Amino acid sequence: MIYRIDVFARDGGGDPAGQTLLREAKELGYELTHVRAGRIFLIDTSATASQVRKIADELLADPVAETAVIHDGPSHPADQSLVEVHFKPGVMDPVAASTQMAIGDMGIEVKQVRTGRSFTIQPKIQRDKLEQLAWRTLANGVVESVHFEPFFPKEFPQADEREFILTHVPLRDLTAAQLKTFSREKHLFLSEAEMTAAQQYFRQAGREPTDIELETIAQTWSEHCVHKTLKSAVDVREVDENGKVIAERHYGNLIKETLFAATKQLMQKRQSAAAEKKIGPECLSVFVDNAGVIGFDQTDAVCFKVETHNHPSAIEPYGGAATGVGGVIRDVLGTGLAARPIANTDVFCVAYPDYGADGASLPRGVLHPKRILRQIMAGVRDYGNRMGIPTVNGAVYFDDRYLGNPLVFCGCVGLIPRDKIAKQTMSGDLIVVMGGRTGRDGIHGATFSSAELTDTHADEFSHAVQIGNAITEKKVTDVLLQARDRGIFNAVTDCGAGGLSSAVGEMGEKTGAMVELEKVPLKYAGLRYPEIWISEAQERMVLAVPGHKVQELLDLAAGEDVEATVIGVFGTENRELVLRYRAQEVGRLSMTFLHEGIPMPKRRAVVARPSAAERKKTPAQLSTAHWPAFASAASPRDKLLAALAHPNVASKHWIIRQYDHEVQGGSVIKPLIGPAQRGPSDAAVLRPKLHSHRGVVLSCGLSPHVADPYDMAISAIDEAVRNAVAVGADVNNLAVLDNFCWPSVDDERAMGSLVAACEACRDAALAYGVPFISGKDSLHNQFTNQETGQVIRIPNTLLISAMGVIEDTRRCITMDLKHHRHPLFLIAARNGRDLRVLAATHRKMAQAIAGGLAASCHDLSDGGLLAAAAEMCIASNLGLAMVEETFDYQPAFAEKPGQYLLELADPAQLPQLQELLDPVADVISVGVVQYQPKLQVLRQGKVAWELSVEQLTAAWRGTLDW
């Protein structure tokens, strides 16, 4: 029998879900007076009525704040409207899984649990209006269903076992045009050349491929997995503003000969440098594992990886972002022999949340950006908080070009013993899959992420969306780290995009592998053998375990209530991938062909360099296209308030406060700092080993508003570096990661923009002495409305994430002003376009901070000088008296590389500061800290205009209602 239990907040208690819907409905023009939200539990059990009552009262409802109602049939008041939201069958429901387990722990047998949400609304509204409200604010049709009457199922739908039929695909005789059509219709997303290579392979084998073999090739050769654009050969022509060719060059492998080459060169310099003049951090593993690894101390290392989960987040933001976090945590767990996750980061790029306020309508198939932002933030929050990993650093950037294709960057940092960095799969190792079960969710995740979004993708690729279960991943983490320390396994990786296909395929590249697919644990019956193989269902790791240690691993996993299963063995006679299902061979592929047979593309690129006049223009300011208040402000005072209220500058406290950045106890510099903890920190600092004051600094840089791709990349790198320096980092101990998110690069100029950004990364890495240790690219980030032909291309976006080791966190500083009468100086690199000058400025600033010259420091980024000064006041609740004659208003609102505001700890140390910085940067006195909580601008010794800290804070806290 299926019992229904509803849980509500007690009268007078808090009902945040109901209040949220009430507020969102008001934004949409609905005049509601009351909303009551509830949680629904549908429990299929043969338990007695008293046992069900016990479940309701002791497990599901908080006896202080909630009440549980056991229903015996559908009914609700006629004068109220009802909306119920339930997961569709087959969609992962973590709450239901935890509930079922907890009921079992109570000694009560239960067959299945499903959950839902209910919203009782007053006054009653028309059905069409109710449907509109439900789909716009409560439910996502990709993974959820909506009901307008109480849902009382008599039985849960169950998937039936399918008859096993081995499917061969007639590929060998297809024409080129037919190959292209076949690739798109079957969601392989392989090029004509790649389909032809696969066709030739099977012609030589004298047989047609099976469906699972083609799926394996498609996953392995996807842009998401092999990064074939950045690894391609490129013929480059550089042209001036008139289109005249001024230079030509060729890359055999674009990323290898730019970013990778720079890192290799820096590593060689470090090895040859004297011990007291080490250049760059100790790079222990770069671009070969799931995350980049640098030395931390004599016994441990730290690793860092940042992933994107853009396309899934566009169609199901909560699940897309949550599984982005879960996936990057597994990247860290799959680095070496498993690193312990110690911190998360996140960066979101979305359209302005008030989109449509001017009457603009959303394209078909696009969710509203406010909803996307709320949901991706919630996904990151819930996954990180539930796993007990602090989320400590990030950013949000708004631009309407992200409307159809938001960007979601998720990062994770891990701590790993130095002797656990190396791993190697050995022939004879058994293949063990551990963690969550395999379901139909996540099918074609890798190939879907390698394609362009259209208005049909929400329907066409609903199977690519996943809902994660952070509790399962936490348990997997605990088992994995214990197994690592016992030396139980030889290698490990995560089941990311491509599922077992990618994980086993990568681990068995040098040995071959044989997999028995019927042994893979499933969430439910009915999966076909190719679905079992390529599903990206979450929370799964694959391990290579020596046979004599398998039972120890299985016992360890069982003790932590984690499922672990042997599904095959590494090592085959001809180094092949052999797939079996129910004692029948369903696939056999050469590992050599799978990993080396892809025909790498050769591309042409045109790099258009801006003219000298263009480069001399005022540096990029805040976008005025969507924020006219900034452009139309009549006075500097009003312009500053408008800048602080600009969504790209305004406080992100409403996001940060939902993240746990204190868990694990190592946070030193937090996202919000100052006496009231409301100032925006430049970077995060944490101590991963609580008995030591050695720390890790994390920062990021992002400048999609800079039009020239070379300058955009330099700006992002410079921002990440100066954010880290501003809290006390040493440039010599910094490493960076790249995340390229680009629209289509099918034409030569678009490809040229990617080339220019790669060249900028190479040049900056060498000039700054900062190596790239890991990275990721996500191309085809654009949205096409197939009805209208409208194409929305994201701006070229390069996220730079920086990580470094800080010798003593007690010497770090923050950006809040410290004491009245301290002078404030603008530190500005004398030539912001000369990388050597910028690099030297950052090194000198690091020396100044390490030498105790700075009481506080803040980098100049979005909003420029005046916004940075205002933020220092907001953080400290101290005022500033600034001298108008020391700065120009036009560039005062612009961001330039190589600029800081520095509060001098002792005015007597000014000569020392000037002497240190004189060769490369100007030291300009711009004001004095004052107790009076006002930002005052003086003209000829008199107050020209002023703003109180309360006014600054009110503007900076944002004008948008979240």
Side-chain angles (χ1 to χ4, degrees):
M1 178 177 177
I2 297 178
Y3 291 87
R4 172 170 166 151
I5 302 173
D6 285 53
V7 179
F8 302 99
R10 290 187 181 275
D11 291 340
D15 184 359
Q19 291 300 312
T20 298
L21 177 57
L22 200 62
R23 185 183 70 247
E24 293 180 359
K26 183 177 180 181
E27 292 174 0
L28 296 173
Y30 292 83
E31 296 297 331
L32 305 183
T33 59
H34 181 71
V35 174
R36 187 188 194 196
R39 295 180 289 126
I40 302 169
F41 296 87
L42 300 169
I43 303 173
D44 189 354
T45 178
S46 57
T48 65
S50 62
Q51 288 177 315
V52 174
R53 184 77 258 174
K54 182 178 181 181
I55 292 170
D57 293 341
E58 297 184 11
L59 177 64
L60 302 183
D62 182 327
V64 174
E66 296 176 319
T67 181
V69 179
I70 302 174
H71 290 282
D72 56 7
S75 65
H76 76 277
D79 61 342
Q80 299 175 356
S81 292
L82 176 71
V83 177
E84 291 190 5
V85 182
H86 296 264
F87 283 123
K88 291 181 176 179
V91 174
M92 180 65 183
D93 186 347
V95 176
S98 298
T99 303
Q100 185 168 340
M101 183 182 301
I103 294 173
D105 291 342
M106 296 173 72
I108 302 173
E109 291 188 7
V110 60
K111 183 177 180 182
Q112 188 177 356
V113 176
R114 294 182 64 181
T115 68
R117 297 172 290 141
S118 69
F119 300 87
T120 305
I121 298 168
Q122 291 178 308
K124 188 171 185 177
I125 58 178
Q126 294 178 355
R127 177 61 177 266
D128 60 338
K129 298 290 186 182
L130 186 64
E131 291 182 3
Q132 184 183 54
L133 178 65
W135 290 115
R136 291 187 66 176
T137 63
L138 297 175
N140 188 325
V142 174
V143 294
E144 294 170 320
S145 59
V146 172
H147 303 262
F148 301 100
E149 299 289 339
F151 182 54
F152 279 82
K154 293 184 178 180
E155 60 181 9
F156 293 142
Q158 302 292 331
D160 296 326
E161 288 282 358
R162 295 189 187 182
E163 181 183 0
F164 168 45
I165 301 175
L166 179 59
T167 303
H168 286 85
V169 180
L171 188 78
R172 290 179 295 172
D173 296 329
L174 295 184
T175 66
Q178 289 172 328
L179 287 173
K180 185 176 180 179
T181 301
F182 178 86
S183 175
R184 178 59 183 86
E185 290 179 348
K186 299 300 181 181
H187 298 161
L188 304 180
F189 293 107
L190 294 176
S191 68
E192 182 180 321
E194 291 159 353
M195 288 297 296
T196 301
Q199 185 183 57
Q200 288 298 115
Y201 175 81
F202 290 106
R203 282 176 176 173
Q204 292 173 6
R207 63 180 180 86
E208 295 288 10
T210 62
D211 50 357
I212 199 171
E213 290 172 329
L214 284 182
E215 292 284 9
T216 303
I217 294 170
Q219 306 304 312
T220 307
W221 289 4
S222 68
E223 184 76 66
H224 182 89
C225 292
V226 81
H227 315 294
K228 50 200 174 189
T229 297
L230 279 170
K231 291 180 179 179
S232 64
V234 188
D235 289 325
V236 183
R237 290 179 296 132
E238 187 172 339
V239 300
D240 62 18
E241 64 269 28
N242 299 315
K244 180 182 177 181
V245 177
I246 55 177
E248 293 183 304
R249 51 190 175 275
H250 173 77
Y251 293 104
N253 180 318
L254 175 60
I255 198 165
K256 183 177 180 180
E257 295 171 31
T258 52
L259 279 77
F260 293 9
T263 294
K264 183 178 180 180
Q265 187 173 334
L266 290 172
M267 291 172 66
Q268 291 171 343
K269 279 187 178 181
R270 177 182 170 86
Q271 292 169 358
S272 62
E276 66 275 10
K277 293 183 179 180
K278 291 299 184 185
I279 300 172
E282 182 185 11
C283 295
L284 300 176
S285 176
V286 297
F287 294 112
V288 294
D289 208 338
N290 290 338
V293 187
I294 64 173
F296 178 66
D297 57 19
Q298 292 184 343
T299 59
D300 290 299
V302 283
C303 61
F304 196 9
K305 179 63 177 289
V306 179
E307 277 276 9
T308 56
H309 234 221
N310 306 333
H311 288 185
S313 299
I315 63 176
E316 209 298 283
Y318 181 88
T323 54
V325 175
V328 79
I329 293 171
R330 291 197 307 278
D331 276 329
V332 164
L333 291 172
T335 295
L337 293 174
R340 175 173 66 86
I342 60 172
N344 286 343
T345 68
D346 65 339
V347 174
F348 307 142
C349 295
V350 296
Y352 283 94
D354 61 346
Y355 186 90
D358 58 354
S361 59
L362 287 170
R364 194 188 79 168
V366 172
L367 298 176
H368 194 280
K370 178 179 274 192
R371 182 175 180 189
I372 287 177
L373 181 56
R374 282 173 172 157
Q375 290 295 303
I376 58 180
M377 177 276 298
V380 170
R381 173 199 67 203
D382 290 352
Y383 212 101
N385 290 359
R386 289 168 183 169
M387 280 203 68
I389 302 172
T391 301
V392 296
N393 186 250
V396 182
Y397 188 89
F398 296 99
D399 189 307
D400 281 342
R401 289 173 290 178
Y402 296 113
L403 180 65
N405 201 132
L407 304 183
V408 175
F409 302 90
C410 299
C412 187
V413 179
L415 184 73
I416 184 171
R418 285 174 176 262
D419 62 354
K420 303 296 184 182
I421 295 173
K423 62 184 177 184
Q424 183 177 0
T425 301
M426 307 297 292
S427 289
D429 285 348
L430 297 183
I431 304 171
V432 177
V433 61
M434 183 170 71
R437 291 192 163 208
T438 300
R440 195 167 281 112
D441 48 320
I443 301 293
H444 291 135
T447 51
F448 165 55
S449 295
S450 305
E452 173 190 335
L453 284 173
T454 71
D455 53 4
T456 65
H457 272 66
D459 298 323
E460 188 178 2
F461 288 98
S462 60
H463 54 269
V465 175
Q466 307 144 71
I467 303 295
N469 189 342
I471 303 305
T472 296
E473 187 153 319
K474 178 63 171 71
K475 294 192 295 184
V476 170
T477 300
D478 293 343
V479 172
L480 195 59
L481 294 177
Q482 292 179 66
R484 178 200 71 185
D485 293 341
R486 293 189 193 180
I488 292 178
F489 55 91
N490 290 328
V492 61
T493 197
D494 72 306
C495 262
L500 291 169
S501 166
S502 297
V504 175
E506 291 171 6
M507 293 178 71
E509 178 182 357
K510 304 300 182 184
T511 63
M514 190 280 293
V515 179
E516 297 177 87
L517 293 170
E518 74 277 2
K519 293 184 177 180
V520 177
L522 305 180
K523 293 178 181 177
Y524 35 77
L527 269 68
R528 296 184 63 247
Y529 59 92
E531 294 173 324
I532 298 171
W533 181 234
I534 68 171
S535 167
E536 196 186 346
Q538 294 290 296
E539 290 82 43
R540 299 177 302 158
M541 304 294 291
V542 176
L543 299 89
V545 186
H548 65 284
K549 294 185 177 180
V550 163
Q551 192 58 49
E552 183 180 1
L553 176 64
L554 298 182
D555 291 344
L556 174 62
E560 297 284 354
D561 196 26
V562 173
E563 193 166 25
T565 307
V566 177
I567 63 169
V569 63
F570 288 109
T572 58
E573 184 175 351
N574 297 315
R575 200 163 66 89
E576 291 179 313
L577 174 65
V578 180
L579 304 176
R580 299 178 61 79
Y581 184 68
R582 297 182 182 176
Q584 184 172 342
E585 184 173 297
V586 294
R588 180 181 290 266
L589 290 168
S590 161
M591 284 291 193
T592 301
F593 170 71
L594 198 57
H595 292 283
E596 302 173 22
I598 180 172
M600 293 301 291
K602 184 173 182 179
R603 295 180 175 271
R604 296 181 182 274
V606 173
V607 174
R609 291 299 186 202
S611 66
E614 284 289 325
R615 294 182 71 88
K616 287 181 180 179
K617 283 185 176 180
T618 301
Q621 294 194 0
L622 293 170
S623 169
T624 58
H626 196 100
W627 206 251
F630 179 72
S632 62
S635 67
R637 178 186 182 279
D638 292 342
K639 203 172 188 70
L640 175 56
L641 290 175
L644 290 172
H646 193 292
N648 285 336
V649 178
S651 172
K652 308 305 183 297
H653 67 280
W654 67 275
I655 296 178
I656 295 168
R657 292 298 187 196
Q658 298 186 55
Y659 295 157
D660 188 340
H661 50 262
E662 298 287 3
V663 67
Q664 299 190 18
S667 299
V668 177
I669 295 182
K670 305 145 196 317
L672 295 173
I673 49 88
Q677 294 189 348
R678 66 183 184 187
S681 181
D682 290 295
V685 177
L686 60 150
R687 291 188 299 141
K689 302 168 76 170
L690 297 183
H691 63 274
S692 168
H693 289 288
R694 185 178 288 261
V696 175
V697 60
L698 300 171
S699 64
C700 64
L702 186 78
S703 298
H705 55 282
V706 178
D708 179 73
Y710 187 93
D711 291 344
M712 181 271 292
I714 297 296
S715 180
I717 295 167
D718 194 82
E719 182 182 16
V721 169
R722 67 179 186 267
N723 273 331
V725 169
V727 300
D730 181 349
V731 182
N732 282 329
N733 289 334
L734 285 180
V736 294
L737 287 71
D738 63 88
N739 281 92
F740 290 90
C741 284
W742 245 246
S744 172
V745 291
D746 290 341
D747 68 79
E748 294 183 356
R749 285 188 175 258
M751 185 66 196
S753 68
L754 189 61
V755 170
C758 288
E759 292 174 337
C761 290
R762 172 200 62 202
D763 296 346
L766 292 174
Y768 290 21
V770 175
F772 283 85
I773 60 170
S774 180
K776 190 71 175 178
D777 66 272
S778 174
L779 309 181
H780 308 290
N781 286 288
Q782 59 191 51
F783 175 86
T784 299
N785 186 328
Q786 295 182 331
E787 282 188 335
T788 65
Q790 177 192 21
V791 179
I792 306 174
R793 296 167 59 91
I794 71 163
N796 298 331
T797 305
L798 172 63
L799 172 67
I800 298 293
S801 304
M803 176 180 70
V805 176
I806 290 183
E807 300 291 338
D808 189 343
T809 58
R810 291 171 294 184
R811 303 186 70 178
C812 290
I813 64 173
T814 53
M815 53 75 68
D816 51 310
L817 299 170
K818 298 303 189 296
H819 199 274
H820 77 294
R821 297 183 182 175
H822 277 177
L824 187 71
F825 293 91
L826 170 64
I827 311 299
R830 287 190 179 142
N831 185 347
R833 297 199 179 277
D834 188 325
L835 293 180
R836 293 169 299 177
V837 172
L838 289 173
T841 299
H842 299 315
R843 292 181 185 279
K844 296 292 185 181
M845 277 294 297
Q847 292 176 36
I849 294 171
L853 299 181
S856 68
C857 185
H858 192 24
D859 93 302
L860 269 66
S861 57
D862 292 335
L865 168 65
L866 289 176
E871 288 172 342
M872 296 178 83
C873 295
I874 292 167
S876 62
N877 202 36
L878 293 174
L880 272 174
M882 302 184 70
V883 181
E884 189 178 67
E885 289 81 2
T886 61
F887 60 87
D888 294 327
Y889 280 119
Q890 186 175 12
F893 289 98
E895 175 186 358
K896 289 183 180 179
Q899 293 195 342
Y900 302 83
L901 281 178
L902 181 146
E903 177 190 355
L904 193 61
D906 183 351
Q909 295 177 318
L910 177 57
Q912 185 179 345
L913 179 68
Q914 290 173 323
E915 182 181 359
L916 177 63
L917 288 161
D918 182 64
V920 293
D922 294 321
V923 180
I924 305 167
S925 175
V926 294
V928 177
V929 182
Q930 59 182 10
Y931 268 139
Q932 188 179 18
K934 291 182 178 182
L935 175 61
Q936 296 178 319
V937 176
L938 308 181
R939 181 184 304 143
Q940 297 179 352
K942 296 182 179 180
V943 176
W945 57 273
E946 66 180 19
L947 288 163
S948 69
V949 172
E950 287 77 9
Q951 288 173 303
L952 297 173
T953 304
W956 184 69
R957 296 285 277 195
T959 58
L960 297 175
D961 179 11
W962 296 103

